[in-house]
mmCIF file with all atom_site columns, all heavy atoms in Angstrom:
data_model
loop_
_atom_site.group_PDB
_atom_site.id
_atom_site.type_symbol
_atom_site.label_atom_id
_atom_site.label_alt_id
_atom_site.label_comp_id
_atom_site.label_asym_id
_atom_site.label_entity_id
_atom_site.label_seq_id
_atom_site.pdbx_PDB_ins_code
_atom_site.Cartn_x
_atom_site.Cartn_y
_atom_site.Cartn_z
_atom_site.occupancy
_atom_site.B_iso_or_equiv
_atom_site.pdbx_formal_charge
_atom_site.auth_seq_id
_atom_site.auth_comp_id
_atom_site.auth_asym_id
_atom_site.auth_atom_id
_atom_site.pdbx_PDB_model_num
ATOM 1   N N   . THR Y 1 1  ? -6.053  2.612   -9.574  1.00 0.00 ? 1  THR Y N   1
ATOM 2   C CA  . THR Y 1 1  ? -6.796  1.963   -10.651 1.00 0.00 ? 1  THR Y CA  1
ATOM 3   C C   . THR Y 1 1  ? -5.808  1.162   -11.499 1.00 0.00 ? 1  THR Y C   1
ATOM 4   O O   . THR Y 1 1  ? -4.845  1.722   -12.039 1.00 0.00 ? 1  THR Y O   1
ATOM 5   C CB  . THR Y 1 1  ? -7.505  3.001   -11.536 1.00 0.00 ? 1  THR Y CB  1
ATOM 6   O OG1 . THR Y 1 1  ? -8.355  3.810   -10.714 1.00 0.00 ? 1  THR Y OG1 1
ATOM 7   C CG2 . THR Y 1 1  ? -8.340  2.305   -12.607 1.00 0.00 ? 1  THR Y CG2 1
ATOM 8   N N   . ASP Y 1 2  ? -6.024  -0.159  -11.599 1.00 0.00 ? 2  ASP Y N   1
ATOM 9   C CA  . ASP Y 1 2  ? -5.086  -0.990  -12.354 1.00 0.00 ? 2  ASP Y CA  1
ATOM 10  C C   . ASP Y 1 2  ? -5.461  -1.018  -13.841 1.00 0.00 ? 2  ASP Y C   1
ATOM 11  O O   . ASP Y 1 2  ? -6.408  -0.347  -14.285 1.00 0.00 ? 2  ASP Y O   1
ATOM 12  C CB  . ASP Y 1 2  ? -4.995  -2.402  -11.776 1.00 0.00 ? 2  ASP Y CB  1
ATOM 13  C CG  . ASP Y 1 2  ? -6.312  -3.172  -11.864 1.00 0.00 ? 2  ASP Y CG  1
ATOM 14  O OD1 . ASP Y 1 2  ? -7.185  -2.780  -12.667 1.00 0.00 ? 2  ASP Y OD1 1
ATOM 15  O OD2 . ASP Y 1 2  ? -6.461  -4.176  -11.144 1.00 0.00 ? 2  ASP Y OD2 1
ATOM 16  N N   . HIS Y 1 3  ? -4.714  -1.815  -14.616 1.00 0.00 ? 3  HIS Y N   1
ATOM 17  C CA  . HIS Y 1 3  ? -4.922  -1.837  -16.065 1.00 0.00 ? 3  HIS Y CA  1
ATOM 18  C C   . HIS Y 1 3  ? -6.259  -2.458  -16.464 1.00 0.00 ? 3  HIS Y C   1
ATOM 19  O O   . HIS Y 1 3  ? -6.693  -2.330  -17.605 1.00 0.00 ? 3  HIS Y O   1
ATOM 20  C CB  . HIS Y 1 3  ? -3.777  -2.598  -16.752 1.00 0.00 ? 3  HIS Y CB  1
ATOM 21  C CG  . HIS Y 1 3  ? -3.638  -4.015  -16.300 1.00 0.00 ? 3  HIS Y CG  1
ATOM 22  N ND1 . HIS Y 1 3  ? -3.013  -4.362  -15.116 1.00 0.00 ? 3  HIS Y ND1 1
ATOM 23  C CD2 . HIS Y 1 3  ? -4.051  -5.183  -16.871 1.00 0.00 ? 3  HIS Y CD2 1
ATOM 24  C CE1 . HIS Y 1 3  ? -3.041  -5.685  -14.977 1.00 0.00 ? 3  HIS Y CE1 1
ATOM 25  N NE2 . HIS Y 1 3  ? -3.665  -6.202  -16.008 1.00 0.00 ? 3  HIS Y NE2 1
ATOM 26  N N   . ASN Y 1 4  ? -6.909  -3.140  -15.509 1.00 0.00 ? 4  ASN Y N   1
ATOM 27  C CA  . ASN Y 1 4  ? -8.238  -3.708  -15.773 1.00 0.00 ? 4  ASN Y CA  1
ATOM 28  C C   . ASN Y 1 4  ? -9.357  -2.819  -15.235 1.00 0.00 ? 4  ASN Y C   1
ATOM 29  O O   . ASN Y 1 4  ? -10.507 -3.261  -15.131 1.00 0.00 ? 4  ASN Y O   1
ATOM 30  C CB  . ASN Y 1 4  ? -8.346  -5.101  -15.154 1.00 0.00 ? 4  ASN Y CB  1
ATOM 31  C CG  . ASN Y 1 4  ? -7.430  -6.103  -15.830 1.00 0.00 ? 4  ASN Y CG  1
ATOM 32  O OD1 . ASN Y 1 4  ? -7.291  -6.095  -17.055 1.00 0.00 ? 4  ASN Y OD1 1
ATOM 33  N ND2 . ASN Y 1 4  ? -6.811  -6.973  -15.043 1.00 0.00 ? 4  ASN Y ND2 1
ATOM 34  N N   . ASP Y 1 5  ? -8.986  -1.588  -14.854 1.00 0.00 ? 5  ASP Y N   1
ATOM 35  C CA  . ASP Y 1 5  ? -9.936  -0.613  -14.299 1.00 0.00 ? 5  ASP Y CA  1
ATOM 36  C C   . ASP Y 1 5  ? -10.501 -1.055  -12.949 1.00 0.00 ? 5  ASP Y C   1
ATOM 37  O O   . ASP Y 1 5  ? -11.572 -0.593  -12.544 1.00 0.00 ? 5  ASP Y O   1
ATOM 38  C CB  . ASP Y 1 5  ? -11.092 -0.341  -15.278 1.00 0.00 ? 5  ASP Y CB  1
ATOM 39  C CG  . ASP Y 1 5  ? -10.632 0.453   -16.493 1.00 0.00 ? 5  ASP Y CG  1
ATOM 40  O OD1 . ASP Y 1 5  ? -9.655  1.215   -16.355 1.00 0.00 ? 5  ASP Y OD1 1
ATOM 41  O OD2 . ASP Y 1 5  ? -11.245 0.297   -17.570 1.00 0.00 ? 5  ASP Y OD2 1
ATOM 42  N N   . ASN Y 1 6  ? -9.795  -1.945  -12.253 1.00 0.00 ? 6  ASN Y N   1
ATOM 43  C CA  . ASN Y 1 6  ? -10.166 -2.297  -10.881 1.00 0.00 ? 6  ASN Y CA  1
ATOM 44  C C   . ASN Y 1 6  ? -9.552  -1.275  -9.929  1.00 0.00 ? 6  ASN Y C   1
ATOM 45  O O   . ASN Y 1 6  ? -8.434  -0.802  -10.141 1.00 0.00 ? 6  ASN Y O   1
ATOM 46  C CB  . ASN Y 1 6  ? -9.658  -3.701  -10.534 1.00 0.00 ? 6  ASN Y CB  1
ATOM 47  C CG  . ASN Y 1 6  ? -10.285 -4.773  -11.395 1.00 0.00 ? 6  ASN Y CG  1
ATOM 48  O OD1 . ASN Y 1 6  ? -11.493 -4.765  -11.627 1.00 0.00 ? 6  ASN Y OD1 1
ATOM 49  N ND2 . ASN Y 1 6  ? -9.475  -5.702  -11.886 1.00 0.00 ? 6  ASN Y ND2 1
ATOM 50  N N   . THR Y 1 7  ? -10.277 -0.921  -8.871  1.00 0.00 ? 7  THR Y N   1
ATOM 51  C CA  . THR Y 1 7  ? -9.768  0.059   -7.908  1.00 0.00 ? 7  THR Y CA  1
ATOM 52  C C   . THR Y 1 7  ? -9.430  -0.632  -6.591  1.00 0.00 ? 7  THR Y C   1
ATOM 53  O O   . THR Y 1 7  ? -10.161 -1.502  -6.122  1.00 0.00 ? 7  THR Y O   1
ATOM 54  C CB  . THR Y 1 7  ? -10.795 1.174   -7.656  1.00 0.00 ? 7  THR Y CB  1
ATOM 55  O OG1 . THR Y 1 7  ? -12.027 0.599   -7.189  1.00 0.00 ? 7  THR Y OG1 1
ATOM 56  C CG2 . THR Y 1 7  ? -11.046 1.956   -8.927  1.00 0.00 ? 7  THR Y CG2 1
ATOM 57  N N   . ILE Y 1 8  ? -8.312  -0.236  -6.034  1.00 0.00 ? 8  ILE Y N   1
ATOM 58  C CA  . ILE Y 1 8  ? -7.849  -0.755  -4.748  1.00 0.00 ? 8  ILE Y CA  1
ATOM 59  C C   . ILE Y 1 8  ? -7.690  0.423   -3.809  1.00 0.00 ? 8  ILE Y C   1
ATOM 60  O O   . ILE Y 1 8  ? -6.975  1.388   -4.113  1.00 0.00 ? 8  ILE Y O   1
ATOM 61  C CB  . ILE Y 1 8  ? -6.503  -1.495  -4.905  1.00 0.00 ? 8  ILE Y CB  1
ATOM 62  C CG1 . ILE Y 1 8  ? -6.632  -2.631  -5.923  1.00 0.00 ? 8  ILE Y CG1 1
ATOM 63  C CG2 . ILE Y 1 8  ? -6.025  -2.028  -3.564  1.00 0.00 ? 8  ILE Y CG2 1
ATOM 64  C CD1 . ILE Y 1 8  ? -5.302  -3.246  -6.311  1.00 0.00 ? 8  ILE Y CD1 1
ATOM 65  N N   . THR Y 1 9  ? -8.336  0.358   -2.654  1.00 0.00 ? 9  THR Y N   1
ATOM 66  C CA  . THR Y 1 9  ? -8.251  1.429   -1.662  1.00 0.00 ? 9  THR Y CA  1
ATOM 67  C C   . THR Y 1 9  ? -7.455  0.944   -0.466  1.00 0.00 ? 9  THR Y C   1
ATOM 68  O O   . THR Y 1 9  ? -7.644  -0.177  0.006   1.00 0.00 ? 9  THR Y O   1
ATOM 69  C CB  . THR Y 1 9  ? -9.643  1.884   -1.214  1.00 0.00 ? 9  THR Y CB  1
ATOM 70  O OG1 . THR Y 1 9  ? -10.385 2.331   -2.361  1.00 0.00 ? 9  THR Y OG1 1
ATOM 71  C CG2 . THR Y 1 9  ? -9.550  3.032   -0.219  1.00 0.00 ? 9  THR Y CG2 1
ATOM 72  N N   . ASP Y 1 10 ? -6.557  1.797   0.002   1.00 0.00 ? 10 ASP Y N   1
ATOM 73  C CA  . ASP Y 1 10 ? -5.620  1.411   1.046   1.00 0.00 ? 10 ASP Y CA  1
ATOM 74  C C   . ASP Y 1 10 ? -5.353  2.598   1.967   1.00 0.00 ? 10 ASP Y C   1
ATOM 75  O O   . ASP Y 1 10 ? -5.458  3.756   1.545   1.00 0.00 ? 10 ASP Y O   1
ATOM 76  C CB  . ASP Y 1 10 ? -4.295  1.010   0.381   1.00 0.00 ? 10 ASP Y CB  1
ATOM 77  C CG  . ASP Y 1 10 ? -3.741  -0.283  0.934   1.00 0.00 ? 10 ASP Y CG  1
ATOM 78  O OD1 . ASP Y 1 10 ? -4.286  -0.789  1.925   1.00 0.00 ? 10 ASP Y OD1 1
ATOM 79  O OD2 . ASP Y 1 10 ? -2.759  -0.781  0.362   1.00 0.00 ? 10 ASP Y OD2 1
ATOM 80  N N   . THR Y 1 11 ? -4.974  2.319   3.216   1.00 0.00 ? 11 THR Y N   1
ATOM 81  C CA  . THR Y 1 11 ? -4.474  3.346   4.119   1.00 0.00 ? 11 THR Y CA  1
ATOM 82  C C   . THR Y 1 11 ? -2.989  3.105   4.320   1.00 0.00 ? 11 THR Y C   1
ATOM 83  O O   . THR Y 1 11 ? -2.572  1.982   4.605   1.00 0.00 ? 11 THR Y O   1
ATOM 84  C CB  . THR Y 1 11 ? -5.202  3.303   5.475   1.00 0.00 ? 11 THR Y CB  1
ATOM 85  O OG1 . THR Y 1 11 ? -6.584  3.604   5.273   1.00 0.00 ? 11 THR Y OG1 1
ATOM 86  C CG2 . THR Y 1 11 ? -4.614  4.310   6.440   1.00 0.00 ? 11 THR Y CG2 1
ATOM 87  N N   . CYS Y 1 12 ? -2.186  4.160   4.145   1.00 0.00 ? 12 CYS Y N   1
ATOM 88  C CA  . CYS Y 1 12 ? -0.734  4.011   4.154   1.00 0.00 ? 12 CYS Y CA  1
ATOM 89  C C   . CYS Y 1 12 ? -0.079  5.038   5.080   1.00 0.00 ? 12 CYS Y C   1
ATOM 90  O O   . CYS Y 1 12 ? -0.645  6.083   5.377   1.00 0.00 ? 12 CYS Y O   1
ATOM 91  C CB  . CYS Y 1 12 ? -0.156  4.176   2.754   1.00 0.00 ? 12 CYS Y CB  1
ATOM 92  S SG  . CYS Y 1 12 ? -0.807  3.022   1.522   1.00 0.00 ? 12 CYS Y SG  1
ATOM 93  N N   . LEU Y 1 13 ? 1.142   4.709   5.484   1.00 0.00 ? 13 LEU Y N   1
ATOM 94  C CA  . LEU Y 1 13 ? 1.978   5.607   6.276   1.00 0.00 ? 13 LEU Y CA  1
ATOM 95  C C   . LEU Y 1 13 ? 3.256   5.868   5.491   1.00 0.00 ? 13 LEU Y C   1
ATOM 96  O O   . LEU Y 1 13 ? 3.894   4.935   5.002   1.00 0.00 ? 13 LEU Y O   1
ATOM 97  C CB  . LEU Y 1 13 ? 2.326   4.957   7.625   1.00 0.00 ? 13 LEU Y CB  1
ATOM 98  C CG  . LEU Y 1 13 ? 3.427   5.629   8.446   1.00 0.00 ? 13 LEU Y CG  1
ATOM 99  C CD1 . LEU Y 1 13 ? 2.959   6.996   8.959   1.00 0.00 ? 13 LEU Y CD1 1
ATOM 100 C CD2 . LEU Y 1 13 ? 3.849   4.743   9.611   1.00 0.00 ? 13 LEU Y CD2 1
ATOM 101 N N   . SER Y 1 14 ? 3.622   7.142   5.373   1.00 0.00 ? 14 SER Y N   1
ATOM 102 C CA  . SER Y 1 14 ? 4.905   7.476   4.757   1.00 0.00 ? 14 SER Y CA  1
ATOM 103 C C   . SER Y 1 14 ? 5.726   8.313   5.720   1.00 0.00 ? 14 SER Y C   1
ATOM 104 O O   . SER Y 1 14 ? 5.188   9.078   6.527   1.00 0.00 ? 14 SER Y O   1
ATOM 105 C CB  . SER Y 1 14 ? 4.718   8.228   3.437   1.00 0.00 ? 14 SER Y CB  1
ATOM 106 O OG  . SER Y 1 14 ? 4.280   9.550   3.675   1.00 0.00 ? 14 SER Y OG  1
ATOM 107 N N   . LEU Y 1 15 ? 7.035   8.133   5.645   1.00 0.00 ? 15 LEU Y N   1
ATOM 108 C CA  . LEU Y 1 15 ? 7.983   8.920   6.416   1.00 0.00 ? 15 LEU Y CA  1
ATOM 109 C C   . LEU Y 1 15 ? 8.869   9.648   5.419   1.00 0.00 ? 15 LEU Y C   1
ATOM 110 O O   . LEU Y 1 15 ? 9.568   9.010   4.630   1.00 0.00 ? 15 LEU Y O   1
ATOM 111 C CB  . LEU Y 1 15 ? 8.819   8.012   7.329   1.00 0.00 ? 15 LEU Y CB  1
ATOM 112 C CG  . LEU Y 1 15 ? 8.016   7.146   8.318   1.00 0.00 ? 15 LEU Y CG  1
ATOM 113 C CD1 . LEU Y 1 15 ? 8.945   6.232   9.115   1.00 0.00 ? 15 LEU Y CD1 1
ATOM 114 C CD2 . LEU Y 1 15 ? 7.199   8.017   9.272   1.00 0.00 ? 15 LEU Y CD2 1
ATOM 115 N N   . ASP Y 1 16 ? 8.813   10.985  5.451   1.00 0.00 ? 16 ASP Y N   1
ATOM 116 C CA  . ASP Y 1 16 ? 9.533   11.790  4.463   1.00 0.00 ? 16 ASP Y CA  1
ATOM 117 C C   . ASP Y 1 16 ? 9.174   11.380  3.042   1.00 0.00 ? 16 ASP Y C   1
ATOM 118 O O   . ASP Y 1 16 ? 10.049  11.260  2.179   1.00 0.00 ? 16 ASP Y O   1
ATOM 119 C CB  . ASP Y 1 16 ? 11.044  11.686  4.673   1.00 0.00 ? 16 ASP Y CB  1
ATOM 120 C CG  . ASP Y 1 16 ? 11.502  12.440  5.916   1.00 0.00 ? 16 ASP Y CG  1
ATOM 121 O OD1 . ASP Y 1 16 ? 10.788  13.362  6.341   1.00 0.00 ? 16 ASP Y OD1 1
ATOM 122 O OD2 . ASP Y 1 16 ? 12.568  12.112  6.450   1.00 0.00 ? 16 ASP Y OD2 1
ATOM 123 N N   . THR Y 1 17 ? 7.919   11.107  2.797   1.00 0.00 ? 17 THR Y N   1
ATOM 124 C CA  . THR Y 1 17 ? 7.330   10.693  1.510   1.00 0.00 ? 17 THR Y CA  1
ATOM 125 C C   . THR Y 1 17 ? 7.785   9.309   1.058   1.00 0.00 ? 17 THR Y C   1
ATOM 126 O O   . THR Y 1 17 ? 7.416   8.864   -0.031  1.00 0.00 ? 17 THR Y O   1
ATOM 127 C CB  . THR Y 1 17 ? 7.582   11.708  0.368   1.00 0.00 ? 17 THR Y CB  1
ATOM 128 O OG1 . THR Y 1 17 ? 8.947   11.643  -0.059  1.00 0.00 ? 17 THR Y OG1 1
ATOM 129 C CG2 . THR Y 1 17 ? 7.236   13.124  0.796   1.00 0.00 ? 17 THR Y CG2 1
ATOM 130 N N   . ALA Y 1 18 ? 8.591   8.601   1.851   1.00 0.00 ? 18 ALA Y N   1
ATOM 131 C CA  . ALA Y 1 18 ? 8.939   7.204   1.539   1.00 0.00 ? 18 ALA Y CA  1
ATOM 132 C C   . ALA Y 1 18 ? 7.903   6.311   2.212   1.00 0.00 ? 18 ALA Y C   1
ATOM 133 O O   . ALA Y 1 18 ? 7.732   6.363   3.431   1.00 0.00 ? 18 ALA Y O   1
ATOM 134 C CB  . ALA Y 1 18 ? 10.340  6.865   2.035   1.00 0.00 ? 18 ALA Y CB  1
ATOM 135 N N   . VAL Y 1 19 ? 7.186   5.514   1.436   1.00 0.00 ? 19 VAL Y N   1
ATOM 136 C CA  . VAL Y 1 19 ? 6.119   4.695   2.004   1.00 0.00 ? 19 VAL Y CA  1
ATOM 137 C C   . VAL Y 1 19 ? 6.711   3.697   2.995   1.00 0.00 ? 19 VAL Y C   1
ATOM 138 O O   . VAL Y 1 19 ? 7.695   3.012   2.716   1.00 0.00 ? 19 VAL Y O   1
ATOM 139 C CB  . VAL Y 1 19 ? 5.318   3.980   0.884   1.00 0.00 ? 19 VAL Y CB  1
ATOM 140 C CG1 . VAL Y 1 19 ? 6.197   3.027   0.087   1.00 0.00 ? 19 VAL Y CG1 1
ATOM 141 C CG2 . VAL Y 1 19 ? 4.124   3.245   1.472   1.00 0.00 ? 19 VAL Y CG2 1
ATOM 142 N N   . GLN Y 1 20 ? 6.125   3.645   4.174   1.00 0.00 ? 20 GLN Y N   1
ATOM 143 C CA  . GLN Y 1 20 ? 6.604   2.762   5.232   1.00 0.00 ? 20 GLN Y CA  1
ATOM 144 C C   . GLN Y 1 20 ? 5.740   1.517   5.354   1.00 0.00 ? 20 GLN Y C   1
ATOM 145 O O   . GLN Y 1 20 ? 6.244   0.422   5.559   1.00 0.00 ? 20 GLN Y O   1
ATOM 146 C CB  . GLN Y 1 20 ? 6.628   3.517   6.571   1.00 0.00 ? 20 GLN Y CB  1
ATOM 147 C CG  . GLN Y 1 20 ? 7.241   2.747   7.730   1.00 0.00 ? 20 GLN Y CG  1
ATOM 148 C CD  . GLN Y 1 20 ? 8.749   2.593   7.615   1.00 0.00 ? 20 GLN Y CD  1
ATOM 149 O OE1 . GLN Y 1 20 ? 9.355   3.092   6.674   1.00 0.00 ? 20 GLN Y OE1 1
ATOM 150 N NE2 . GLN Y 1 20 ? 9.352   1.900   8.553   1.00 0.00 ? 20 GLN Y NE2 1
ATOM 151 N N   . LEU Y 1 21 ? 4.433   1.690   5.228   1.00 0.00 ? 21 LEU Y N   1
ATOM 152 C CA  . LEU Y 1 21 ? 3.538   0.540   5.259   1.00 0.00 ? 21 LEU Y CA  1
ATOM 153 C C   . LEU Y 1 21 ? 2.184   0.928   4.684   1.00 0.00 ? 21 LEU Y C   1
ATOM 154 O O   . LEU Y 1 21 ? 1.794   2.084   4.687   1.00 0.00 ? 21 LEU Y O   1
ATOM 155 C CB  . LEU Y 1 21 ? 3.375   -0.002  6.686   1.00 0.00 ? 21 LEU Y CB  1
ATOM 156 C CG  . LEU Y 1 21 ? 2.773   0.918   7.768   1.00 0.00 ? 21 LEU Y CG  1
ATOM 157 C CD1 . LEU Y 1 21 ? 1.242   0.868   7.770   1.00 0.00 ? 21 LEU Y CD1 1
ATOM 158 C CD2 . LEU Y 1 21 ? 3.284   0.516   9.140   1.00 0.00 ? 21 LEU Y CD2 1
ATOM 159 N N   . CYS Y 1 22 ? 1.487   -0.082  4.169   1.00 0.00 ? 22 CYS Y N   1
ATOM 160 C CA  . CYS Y 1 22 ? 0.093   0.038   3.744   1.00 0.00 ? 22 CYS Y CA  1
ATOM 161 C C   . CYS Y 1 22 ? -0.657  -1.159  4.302   1.00 0.00 ? 22 CYS Y C   1
ATOM 162 O O   . CYS Y 1 22 ? -0.079  -2.254  4.456   1.00 0.00 ? 22 CYS Y O   1
ATOM 163 C CB  . CYS Y 1 22 ? -0.032  0.068   2.221   1.00 0.00 ? 22 CYS Y CB  1
ATOM 164 S SG  . CYS Y 1 22 ? 0.604   1.573   1.437   1.00 0.00 ? 22 CYS Y SG  1
ATOM 165 N N   . ASP Y 1 23 ? -1.927  -0.963  4.588   1.00 0.00 ? 23 ASP Y N   1
ATOM 166 C CA  . ASP Y 1 23 ? -2.717  -2.040  5.186   1.00 0.00 ? 23 ASP Y CA  1
ATOM 167 C C   . ASP Y 1 23 ? -2.682  -3.316  4.355   1.00 0.00 ? 23 ASP Y C   1
ATOM 168 O O   . ASP Y 1 23 ? -2.679  -4.422  4.898   1.00 0.00 ? 23 ASP Y O   1
ATOM 169 C CB  . ASP Y 1 23 ? -4.180  -1.593  5.358   1.00 0.00 ? 23 ASP Y CB  1
ATOM 170 C CG  . ASP Y 1 23 ? -4.350  -0.606  6.500   1.00 0.00 ? 23 ASP Y CG  1
ATOM 171 O OD1 . ASP Y 1 23 ? -3.469  -0.561  7.385   1.00 0.00 ? 23 ASP Y OD1 1
ATOM 172 O OD2 . ASP Y 1 23 ? -5.355  0.122   6.509   1.00 0.00 ? 23 ASP Y OD2 1
ATOM 173 N N   . SER Y 1 24 ? -2.619  -3.175  3.034   1.00 0.00 ? 24 SER Y N   1
ATOM 174 C CA  . SER Y 1 24 ? -2.729  -4.340  2.159   1.00 0.00 ? 24 SER Y CA  1
ATOM 175 C C   . SER Y 1 24 ? -1.498  -5.241  2.196   1.00 0.00 ? 24 SER Y C   1
ATOM 176 O O   . SER Y 1 24 ? -1.586  -6.418  1.846   1.00 0.00 ? 24 SER Y O   1
ATOM 177 C CB  . SER Y 1 24 ? -2.997  -3.893  0.710   1.00 0.00 ? 24 SER Y CB  1
ATOM 178 O OG  . SER Y 1 24 ? -1.946  -3.065  0.245   1.00 0.00 ? 24 SER Y OG  1
ATOM 179 N N   . TRP Y 1 25 ? -0.341  -4.698  2.627   1.00 0.00 ? 25 TRP Y N   1
ATOM 180 C CA  . TRP Y 1 25 ? 0.858   -5.542  2.617   1.00 0.00 ? 25 TRP Y CA  1
ATOM 181 C C   . TRP Y 1 25 ? 1.691   -5.471  3.896   1.00 0.00 ? 25 TRP Y C   1
ATOM 182 O O   . TRP Y 1 25 ? 2.817   -5.973  3.950   1.00 0.00 ? 25 TRP Y O   1
ATOM 183 C CB  . TRP Y 1 25 ? 1.748   -5.227  1.407   1.00 0.00 ? 25 TRP Y CB  1
ATOM 184 C CG  . TRP Y 1 25 ? 2.077   -3.784  1.167   1.00 0.00 ? 25 TRP Y CG  1
ATOM 185 C CD1 . TRP Y 1 25 ? 1.472   -2.953  0.272   1.00 0.00 ? 25 TRP Y CD1 1
ATOM 186 C CD2 . TRP Y 1 25 ? 3.096   -2.997  1.811   1.00 0.00 ? 25 TRP Y CD2 1
ATOM 187 N NE1 . TRP Y 1 25 ? 2.050   -1.705  0.313   1.00 0.00 ? 25 TRP Y NE1 1
ATOM 188 C CE2 . TRP Y 1 25 ? 3.057   -1.699  1.235   1.00 0.00 ? 25 TRP Y CE2 1
ATOM 189 C CE3 . TRP Y 1 25 ? 4.040   -3.259  2.799   1.00 0.00 ? 25 TRP Y CE3 1
ATOM 190 C CZ2 . TRP Y 1 25 ? 3.910   -0.681  1.647   1.00 0.00 ? 25 TRP Y CZ2 1
ATOM 191 C CZ3 . TRP Y 1 25 ? 4.904   -2.244  3.199   1.00 0.00 ? 25 TRP Y CZ3 1
ATOM 192 C CH2 . TRP Y 1 25 ? 4.827   -0.970  2.631   1.00 0.00 ? 25 TRP Y CH2 1
ATOM 193 N N   . VAL Y 1 26 ? 1.130   -4.885  4.949   1.00 0.00 ? 26 VAL Y N   1
ATOM 194 C CA  . VAL Y 1 26 ? 1.908   -4.753  6.183   1.00 0.00 ? 26 VAL Y CA  1
ATOM 195 C C   . VAL Y 1 26 ? 2.297   -6.117  6.756   1.00 0.00 ? 26 VAL Y C   1
ATOM 196 O O   . VAL Y 1 26 ? 3.416   -6.304  7.254   1.00 0.00 ? 26 VAL Y O   1
ATOM 197 C CB  . VAL Y 1 26 ? 1.136   -3.906  7.228   1.00 0.00 ? 26 VAL Y CB  1
ATOM 198 C CG1 . VAL Y 1 26 ? -0.176  -4.565  7.621   1.00 0.00 ? 26 VAL Y CG1 1
ATOM 199 C CG2 . VAL Y 1 26 ? 2.005   -3.654  8.446   1.00 0.00 ? 26 VAL Y CG2 1
ATOM 200 N N   . ASP Y 1 27 ? 1.415   -7.103  6.661   1.00 0.00 ? 27 ASP Y N   1
ATOM 201 C CA  . ASP Y 1 27 ? 1.733   -8.428  7.200   1.00 0.00 ? 27 ASP Y CA  1
ATOM 202 C C   . ASP Y 1 27 ? 2.785   -9.143  6.363   1.00 0.00 ? 27 ASP Y C   1
ATOM 203 O O   . ASP Y 1 27 ? 3.748   -9.708  6.904   1.00 0.00 ? 27 ASP Y O   1
ATOM 204 C CB  . ASP Y 1 27 ? 0.456   -9.285  7.284   1.00 0.00 ? 27 ASP Y CB  1
ATOM 205 C CG  . ASP Y 1 27 ? -0.476  -8.821  8.393   1.00 0.00 ? 27 ASP Y CG  1
ATOM 206 O OD1 . ASP Y 1 27 ? 0.025   -8.362  9.434   1.00 0.00 ? 27 ASP Y OD1 1
ATOM 207 O OD2 . ASP Y 1 27 ? -1.703  -8.900  8.213   1.00 0.00 ? 27 ASP Y OD2 1
ATOM 208 N N   . SER Y 1 28 ? 2.623   -9.131  5.056   1.00 0.00 ? 28 SER Y N   1
ATOM 209 C CA  . SER Y 1 28 ? 3.582   -9.833  4.201   1.00 0.00 ? 28 SER Y CA  1
ATOM 210 C C   . SER Y 1 28 ? 4.961   -9.188  4.289   1.00 0.00 ? 28 SER Y C   1
ATOM 211 O O   . SER Y 1 28 ? 5.986   -9.883  4.246   1.00 0.00 ? 28 SER Y O   1
ATOM 212 C CB  . SER Y 1 28 ? 3.093   -9.857  2.752   1.00 0.00 ? 28 SER Y CB  1
ATOM 213 O OG  . SER Y 1 28 ? 2.865   -8.550  2.263   1.00 0.00 ? 28 SER Y OG  1
ATOM 214 N N   . TYR Y 1 29 ? 5.003   -7.870  4.434   1.00 0.00 ? 29 TYR Y N   1
ATOM 215 C CA  . TYR Y 1 29 ? 6.290   -7.184  4.583   1.00 0.00 ? 29 TYR Y CA  1
ATOM 216 C C   . TYR Y 1 29 ? 7.029   -7.668  5.828   1.00 0.00 ? 29 TYR Y C   1
ATOM 217 O O   . TYR Y 1 29 ? 8.226   -7.988  5.788   1.00 0.00 ? 29 TYR Y O   1
ATOM 218 C CB  . TYR Y 1 29 ? 6.081   -5.671  4.648   1.00 0.00 ? 29 TYR Y CB  1
ATOM 219 C CG  . TYR Y 1 29 ? 7.327   -4.907  5.050   1.00 0.00 ? 29 TYR Y CG  1
ATOM 220 C CD1 . TYR Y 1 29 ? 8.326   -4.638  4.119   1.00 0.00 ? 29 TYR Y CD1 1
ATOM 221 C CD2 . TYR Y 1 29 ? 7.510   -4.471  6.362   1.00 0.00 ? 29 TYR Y CD2 1
ATOM 222 C CE1 . TYR Y 1 29 ? 9.481   -3.953  4.486   1.00 0.00 ? 29 TYR Y CE1 1
ATOM 223 C CE2 . TYR Y 1 29 ? 8.657   -3.789  6.738   1.00 0.00 ? 29 TYR Y CE2 1
ATOM 224 C CZ  . TYR Y 1 29 ? 9.632   -3.532  5.806   1.00 0.00 ? 29 TYR Y CZ  1
ATOM 225 O OH  . TYR Y 1 29 ? 10.777  -2.864  6.179   1.00 0.00 ? 29 TYR Y OH  1
ATOM 226 N N   . HIS Y 1 30 ? 6.322   -7.736  6.944   1.00 0.00 ? 30 HIS Y N   1
ATOM 227 C CA  . HIS Y 1 30 ? 6.977   -8.134  8.194   1.00 0.00 ? 30 HIS Y CA  1
ATOM 228 C C   . HIS Y 1 30 ? 7.225   -9.639  8.258   1.00 0.00 ? 30 HIS Y C   1
ATOM 229 O O   . HIS Y 1 30 ? 8.140   -10.074 8.966   1.00 0.00 ? 30 HIS Y O   1
ATOM 230 C CB  . HIS Y 1 30 ? 6.158   -7.638  9.387   1.00 0.00 ? 30 HIS Y CB  1
ATOM 231 C CG  . HIS Y 1 30 ? 6.240   -6.141  9.564   1.00 0.00 ? 30 HIS Y CG  1
ATOM 232 N ND1 . HIS Y 1 30 ? 5.310   -5.286  9.018   1.00 0.00 ? 30 HIS Y ND1 1
ATOM 233 C CD2 . HIS Y 1 30 ? 7.166   -5.367  10.181  1.00 0.00 ? 30 HIS Y CD2 1
ATOM 234 C CE1 . HIS Y 1 30 ? 5.654   -4.040  9.313   1.00 0.00 ? 30 HIS Y CE1 1
ATOM 235 N NE2 . HIS Y 1 30 ? 6.766   -4.056  10.005  1.00 0.00 ? 30 HIS Y NE2 1
#
């Protein structure tokens, strides 16, 4: 929930609790 009370839902992968990727930015990251 952001500061404007908008909600963003995502599916993410973490390795040892370090986030590796999320659907919302996997393309821009690579």
Side-chain angles (χ1 to χ4, degrees):
T1 304
D2 64 19
H3 59 280
N4 293 320
D5 289 332
N6 297 316
T7 57
I8 303 170
T9 302
D10 226 352
T11 296
C12 302
L13 167 68
S14 73
L15 303 177
D16 288 337
T17 74
V19 62
Q20 186 71 2
L21 61 86
C22 291
D23 286 339
S24 60
W25 50 261
V26 62
D27 288 326
S28 57
Y29 170 80
H30 288 94

